[in-house]
Amino acid sequence: MFSPSSPPARLLEKAFQYIDLHQNEFVELPNGQTLPIPPIILAELGNDPKKPTVCFYGHLDVQPARKEDGWLTDPYTLTEVDGKLYGRGATDNKGPVLAWINAVSAFRSLEEDLPVNIKFVIEGMEEAGSVGLEELVREEKDQFFSSVDYIVISDNLWLSQRKPALTYGTRGNSYFRVEVKCRDQDFHSGTFGGVLNEPMADLVALLGSLVDSSGHILIPGIYDQVAPLTEEERKMYKAIHLDLEEYRRSSRVKRFLFDTKEEILMHLWRYPSLSIHGIEGAFDEPGAKTVIPGQVIGKFSIRLVPHMDTSVVEKQVKQHLENIFSKRNSSNQMAVSMTLGLQPWIANIKDNQYLAAKRAIKTVFGTEPDMIRDGSTIPIARIFQDTIQKSVMMLPLGAVDDGEHAQNEKINRWNYIEGSKLFAAFFLELAKLH
Amino acid sequence: MFSPSSPPARLLEKAFQYIDLHQNEFVELPNGQTLPIPPIILAELGNDPKKPTVCFYGHLDVQPARKEDGWLTDPYTLTEVDGKLYGRGATDNKGPVLAWINAVSAFRSLEEDLPVNIKFVIEGMEEAGSVGLEELVREEKDQFFSSVDYIVISDNLWLSQRKPALTYGTRGNSYFRVEVKCRDQDFHSGTFGGVLNEPMADLVALLGSLVDSSGHILIPGIYDQVAPLTEEERKMYKAIHLDLEEYRRSSRVKRFLFDTKEEILMHLWRYPSLSIHGIEGAFDEPGAKTVIPGQVIGKFSIRLVPHMDTSVVEKQVKQHLENIFSKRNSSNQMAVSMTLGLQPWIANIKDNQYLAAKRAIKTVFGTEPDMIRDGSTIPIARIFQDTIQKSVMMLPLGAVDDGEHAQNEKINRWNYIEGSKLFAAFFLELAKLH
């Protein structure tokens, strides 16, 4: 049995030639301390020009976990209970990394020729924003990545407990801050209430102009670039297994904005959404304080979908907020900025590796996969696709209830073993199709 | 010279008969520690049924002060610099308390008969919300306060540097919290953005429905009970000395909502105002977090003016927010509550003690006073007026720039000495008019 605390990096080191980069770079923590960035491991096995080359991306770092957070077992000792392997990183992302290594090892143990050339990119900063990764991919584009034909990421989950999935898209994200300032000091509402353009009133009006109560975004032009829905795509949502009532119950939500599986999935994956996250600089504590905040900053973000573009969205949002603000004739100052712009990602699902993965799933699990997207943003997929200009596929192994980032994270023994088989079958199918 | 650290209570003890109450009561601090409540001092001097009885209210507790906050002198050692007496409590409220004692002492030193009977209410919890005071006033209504004809409070400031003022009203305050809840846990905006009625969108819409960009409150009926403006009242604002440009500059505000002195004063004193203070439960820190808060609480308050009533305002606000919320057809739960309801206070300025104070001001300062109100809420004035049912007057001594609650609080030597004279002159005038 593997343990999340015994680094799979050791296994990699034994089996592959690896290159250690970023050894001398440091990251600064919020407390001022600096730490060296863990090396990004680039490894390779095989260099046969007649075989396709598959590059697997994974990460070995994990979210924090402490027993007292509510873990039923020691988070750093892998513990099997009723066929479930509990431990921090079990599903995110050490389990899938090991499953891939298992698949490669299987061919070597059986003394069979590996049908594909293998490359690995294994990082240790994924949970902290993949510091240094994009730079590395760009730097190695014409070296390490020059022979890569396909990129596989296995860092997400299925949509259900038992049915495998293939992920072909993720939403992007444009994160905004809008600041309204009267002066850099607060006011007392008894002394000044009634004669000021209060920054909070301006900000609430600005934030209130963004989205209506049905979730429709009110920023002019924002839907212009959204890809039209095709009949083929519509059929894919229909085929997906999702028990809406169970999903609603497990989400502990009284009612969703939509009543059908198809609408829910489309609004999570293929339509943009806007969320207001909060306000900095106002009174945010329990109790009562009669303050007029002098300067406040609203935070909101838009999840982007194909073919929206962060730079277009940035212009639309700024234009809209400036219009709303100028109509208020306020004496305050307003400033809008996009603090993060991550493009959405979508793959061509007719590419060979998607066909190969479908066949491998059929072989191992006896079913067609759910063709899914992820409503969240996984920037690395788009970065690989844009930089290396090769097909990227997300091939998850874990079940929907694995609880990545939560207490009692696990991967099912079944998923881990069948997942290892899936990767091996995928190598064979890919070699046939290539 | 007096020192803010030598308790005027000692002086009181020597000169007056005093009653010590609340000796065995305790207040609990946020850290769980309990402290005894300082006694409220009730003192009296004279009991001549032919003389009017004036009760003076003051407090001996102060705001916190540390040298390192930016004090140029030791905050607890009274220090005179250029005719200004610096020290914590100098103007709020030890200076005025001593000035009143000086006035009483003057008659005794000159062996002249005091023209009025004197009572004192001196508390030590004013800066912490006057804990226990309202209860005491009610308990002592038919005992200690039964013979009181007039109540004088000297716990605020003039509107200018040199021109004395009489304060005849303060605004009340209704403080609200409005909670919108989907569930008690937050959501990730990638995983759920697009299918939820997000609590922040609901809350922003609710808060955005309260006040327009010109400061006008949008809650139906809220202005119904506001006292109509009379011609006589309008003239009072006109007579008040206020350099609007200087006021604007010292407030560090680019532009007020109104352009004239009269409008500014009326909107601070005799019209209600609504301020949005902040939101609890949302993302309020620097940086970016892609959270959909599951449960958020908005805080706002309305400064009330005569003849608004907290219980009517409470109903209007609840009705309004329920209307707005029901139109959104949200699946979230909303709850509104008024967490604080303090009535506005206004005095009859034709009462004898106002006339006496005006004459005394004319005698000592050679001018008519500014007839002013306070936009803030000073609950004790309304409590005295409602409970004892006698005339309450606020007769400030300090200049507008005294900086109560701020660093380098001071009272001018001139204000302190002329203020002591003013109180003595007031006794004489009041006895004549009574």
Side-chain angles (χ1 to χ4, degrees):
Chain A
M1 209 60 261
F2 74 89
S3 151
S5 60
S6 69
R10 293 279 157 72
L11 295 177
L12 275 172
E13 195 176 341
K14 281 189 212 154
F16 305 95
Q17 175 201 348
Y18 82 93
I19 308 159
D20 179 351
L21 287 163
H22 290 79
Q23 291 215 90
N24 298 316
E25 299 204 8
F26 291 84
V27 68
E28 191 175 332
L29 302 183
N31 67 7
Q33 199 190 348
T34 56
L35 284 179
I37 293 180
I40 296 169
I41 300 164
L42 302 180
E44 54 188 26
L45 179 68
N47 193 19
D48 184 341
K50 291 189 297 291
K51 294 176 185 170
T53 299
V54 190
C55 178
F56 180 85
Y57 162 87
H59 68 90
L60 300 182
D61 57 315
V62 295
Q63 285 282 318
R66 296 174 310 170
K67 183 87 165 66
E68 58 268 32
D69 291 341
W71 282 77
L72 300 173
T73 61
D74 174 15
Y76 291 105
T77 304
L78 193 81
T79 310
E80 182 171 353
V81 182
D82 294 339
K84 290 166 184 165
L85 307 169
Y86 290 94
R88 175 54 91 217
T91 198
D92 179 17
N93 184 227
K94 294 181 181 181
V97 169
L98 276 174
W100 187 273
I101 293 173
N102 292 342
V104 175
S105 304
F107 285 92
R108 292 168 71 96
S109 303
L110 297 169
E111 289 176 14
E112 283 199 20
D113 188 37
L114 250 178
V116 293
N117 302 314
I118 299 284
K119 295 213 170 196
F120 271 101
V121 181
I122 308 283
E123 68 160 324
M125 288 295 281
E126 197 273 345
E127 303 293 2
S130 294
V131 180
L133 183 63
E134 182 171 3
E135 191 191 351
L136 172 80
V137 174
R138 276 201 307 264
E139 280 168 14
E140 291 289 332
K141 177 177 185 285
D142 298 323
Q143 282 85 43
F144 180 81
F145 292 107
S146 63
S147 58
V148 168
D149 299 302
Y150 307 99
I151 295 122
V152 174
I153 300 169
S154 183
D155 193 20
N156 62 323
L157 301 176
W158 299 347
L159 201 63
S160 79
Q161 299 260 9
R162 301 285 295 183
K163 195 174 170 204
L166 271 179
T167 305
Y168 64 97
T170 59
R171 291 196 288 189
N173 197 15
S174 285
Y175 202 102
F176 290 90
R177 51 174 272 155
V178 48
E179 177 173 324
V180 180
K181 180 174 177 175
C182 178
R183 67 176 192 188
D184 53 15
Q185 214 180 342
D186 291 342
F187 299 88
H188 186 279
S189 74
T191 319
F192 283 95
V195 300
L196 294 181
N197 278 120
E198 302 190 7
M200 272 297 276
D202 283 343
L203 182 59
V204 159
L206 292 165
L207 296 177
S209 75
L210 296 171
V211 61
D212 73 13
S213 60
S214 67
H216 189 81
I217 304 174
L218 302 170
I219 298 159
I222 200 87
Y223 289 98
D224 291 355
Q225 296 176 297
V226 174
L229 178 67
T230 63
E231 201 43 49
E232 199 181 350
E233 191 191 333
R234 193 191 293 275
K235 277 183 199 151
M236 286 205 299
Y237 300 119
K238 214 177 164 103
I240 289 169
H241 176 76
L242 178 72
D243 180 338
L244 200 57
E245 182 53 24
E246 166 54 29
Y247 174 55
R248 190 196 60 72
R249 222 178 6 241
S250 68
S251 306
R252 300 199 295 117
V253 168
K254 197 170 140 203
R255 196 178 76 217
F256 286 121
L257 286 172
F258 307 97
D259 296 327
T260 67
K261 174 182 75 180
E262 289 82 351
E263 278 176 305
I264 293 281
L265 293 177
M266 287 194 287
H267 282 89
L268 287 174
W269 295 345
R270 65 107 56 233
Y271 289 120
S273 66
L274 189 149
S275 296
I276 302 168
H277 308 300
I279 294 172
E280 183 187 335
F283 174 59
D284 51 45
E285 287 162 47
K289 186 176 174 186
T290 53
V291 65
I292 299 174
Q295 181 177 14
V296 285
I297 302 165
K299 314 272 178 83
F300 65 95
S301 67
I302 303 173
R303 294 282 167 180
L304 310 185
V305 295
H307 306 294
M308 295 169 84
D309 183 88
T310 52
S311 65
V312 176
V313 167
E314 182 178 14
K315 274 192 210 112
Q316 290 168 332
V317 168
K318 286 184 175 176
Q319 183 65 57
H320 172 70
L321 289 178
E322 277 156 17
N323 282 348
I324 297 286
F325 189 69
S326 77
K327 279 186 199 140
R328 290 182 64 80
N329 193 29
S330 168
S331 55
N332 296 322
Q333 289 168 286
M334 184 197 68
V336 189
S337 59
M338 187 174 81
T339 57
L340 186 74
L342 299 169
Q343 304 287 11
W345 165 69
I346 191 156
N348 170 17
I349 59 169
K350 305 221 163 90
D351 184 90
N352 277 340
Q353 74 165 337
Y354 279 88
L355 302 180
K358 278 187 187 183
R359 288 184 189 174
I361 286 168
K362 185 86 183 172
T363 303
V364 175
F365 294 95
T367 179
E368 293 291 321
D370 282 336
M371 294 301 292
I372 68 174
R373 303 197 201 178
D374 196 313
S376 302
T377 306
I378 306 174
I380 189 65
R382 173 83 182 230
I383 290 168
F384 279 126
Q385 190 165 296
D386 282 0
T387 311
I388 309 177
Q389 306 253 319
K390 290 290 157 61
S391 171
V392 175
M393 179 174 72
M394 291 173 62
L395 178 53
L397 301 190
V400 67
D401 63 348
D402 276 1
E404 1 100 271
H405 293 206
Q407 296 91 328
N408 302 307
E409 177 183 347
K410 57 91 179 168
I411 190 166
N412 299 325
R413 171 186 270 272
W414 180 75
N415 288 62
Y416 177 62
I417 293 175
E418 300 306 298
S420 300
K421 292 183 197 169
L422 172 60
F423 285 150
F426 170 67
F427 298 159
L428 292 165
E429 296 292 350
L430 189 61
K432 273 193 258 176
L433 277 167
H434 187 69
Chain B
M1 208 59 257
F2 73 88
S3 150
S5 61
S6 70
R10 293 279 157 71
L11 294 178
L12 275 172
E13 197 177 337
K14 280 189 217 157
F16 305 94
Q17 175 202 348
Y18 82 94
I19 307 159
D20 179 354
L21 286 165
H22 290 77
Q23 290 216 89
N24 299 314
E25 299 203 8
F26 291 84
V27 67
E28 191 176 332
L29 301 184
N31 67 8
Q33 201 190 345
T34 55
L35 283 180
I37 295 179
I40 296 169
I41 299 164
L42 300 181
E44 55 189 25
L45 180 68
N47 193 21
D48 183 341
K50 292 189 297 289
K51 295 176 186 172
T53 300
V54 188
C55 178
F56 180 85
Y57 162 88
H59 67 90
L60 300 181
D61 58 314
V62 296
Q63 284 282 318
R66 296 174 310 171
K67 183 89 163 66
E68 58 267 33
D69 292 341
W71 281 77
L72 300 173
T73 61
D74 173 15
Y76 291 104
T77 304
L78 193 82
T79 310
E80 181 170 354
V81 181
D82 293 339
K84 290 166 184 163
L85 308 169
Y86 290 95
R88 176 53 91 215
T91 198
D92 179 16
N93 183 229
K94 294 183 182 182
V97 169
L98 276 175
W100 188 273
I101 293 173
N102 292 343
V104 175
S105 303
F107 285 92
R108 293 168 69 96
S109 302
L110 296 169
E111 289 176 15
E112 282 199 21
D113 188 37
L114 250 176
V116 294
N117 302 314
I118 299 284
K119 295 212 172 199
F120 271 103
V121 181
I122 308 283
E123 68 159 324
M125 289 294 281
E126 197 272 346
E127 303 293 1
S130 294
V131 180
L133 182 62
E134 183 172 2
E135 192 192 350
L136 173 79
V137 175
R138 276 203 306 266
E139 280 169 11
E140 292 288 332
K141 176 179 186 282
D142 297 323
Q143 282 87 43
F144 181 81
F145 292 106
S146 63
S147 59
V148 169
D149 298 302
Y150 306 99
I151 296 125
V152 174
I153 301 171
S154 183
D155 192 21
N156 63 323
L157 301 175
W158 299 348
L159 201 64
S160 80
Q161 300 259 9
R162 300 286 294 183
K163 194 173 169 205
L166 270 179
T167 305
Y168 64 97
T170 59
R171 291 196 289 189
N173 196 16
S174 285
Y175 202 102
F176 290 90
R177 52 174 271 154
V178 48
E179 177 173 325
V180 181
K181 179 175 178 175
C182 178
R183 67 174 193 188
D184 53 14
Q185 214 179 344
D186 290 342
F187 299 88
H188 185 279
S189 73
T191 320
F192 283 96
V195 299
L196 295 181
N197 278 120
E198 301 190 7
M200 272 297 276
D202 283 342
L203 182 60
V204 159
L206 292 166
L207 297 177
S209 75
L210 296 171
V211 61
D212 73 14
S213 61
S214 67
H216 188 81
I217 303 173
L218 301 170
I219 298 160
I222 201 87
Y223 290 98
D224 291 356
Q225 295 176 297
V226 174
L229 179 67
T230 63
E231 200 44 49
E232 200 181 349
E233 192 191 330
R234 193 191 294 275
K235 277 181 199 153
M236 286 205 297
Y237 300 118
K238 215 177 163 105
I240 289 169
H241 176 77
L242 177 73
D243 181 338
L244 200 56
E245 182 52 23
E246 166 54 27
Y247 174 56
R248 192 195 60 73
R249 225 180 3 244
S250 68
S251 308
R252 300 200 295 115
V253 168
K254 198 170 142 204
R255 195 179 76 218
F256 286 120
L257 285 172
F258 307 97
D259 297 327
T260 66
K261 174 182 76 180
E262 289 82 351
E263 277 176 306
I264 293 281
L265 294 177
M266 287 194 286
H267 282 88
L268 287 174
W269 295 345
R270 64 109 53 237
Y271 290 120
S273 66
L274 189 148
S275 296
I276 303 168
H277 307 299
I279 294 172
E280 183 187 337
F283 174 59
D284 50 46
E285 288 162 45
K289 186 177 175 186
T290 53
V291 66
I292 299 174
Q295 181 177 12
V296 286
I297 302 164
K299 315 271 179 84
F300 65 95
S301 68
I302 303 173
R303 294 283 166 179
L304 309 186
V305 296
H307 306 294
M308 295 169 84
D309 182 88
T310 52
S311 64
V312 176
V313 168
E314 181 179 15
K315 275 192 209 113
Q316 290 168 331
V317 168
K318 286 185 175 177
Q319 182 67 55
H320 171 71
L321 289 178
E322 277 155 19
N323 282 348
I324 298 287
F325 189 69
S326 77
K327 280 186 198 140
R328 291 181 64 79
N329 192 30
S330 168
S331 55
N332 295 323
Q333 289 168 285
M334 184 196 70
V336 189
S337 59
M338 187 173 82
T339 57
L340 186 73
L342 298 168
Q343 304 286 12
W345 165 69
I346 191 154
N348 171 18
I349 59 171
K350 304 219 164 94
D351 185 90
N352 276 342
Q353 75 165 336
Y354 279 88
L355 302 181
K358 279 187 187 183
R359 288 184 189 174
I361 286 168
K362 185 86 185 171
T363 303
V364 175
F365 294 95
T367 177
E368 293 291 321
D370 281 337
M371 293 301 291
I372 69 175
R373 303 196 201 180
D374 197 312
S376 302
T377 306
I378 305 172
I380 189 63
R382 173 82 182 228
I383 289 168
F384 278 126
Q385 189 164 298
D386 283 359
T387 310
I388 309 177
Q389 307 254 319
K390 290 289 157 64
S391 171
V392 175
M393 178 174 70
M394 291 174 63
L395 179 52
L397 301 189
V400 68
D401 63 348
D402 275 0
E404 2 101 271
H405 294 206
Q407 297 91 327
N408 302 308
E409 177 183 347
K410 57 93 179 163
I411 191 167
N412 299 326
R413 170 185 271 273
W414 180 74
N415 287 63
Y416 176 62
I417 293 173
E418 298 307 298
S420 300
K421 292 183 195 166
L422 171 60
F423 285 151
F426 170 67
F427 299 159
L428 292 165
E429 295 293 348
L430 190 61
K432 272 194 257 174
L433 277 167
H434 187 70

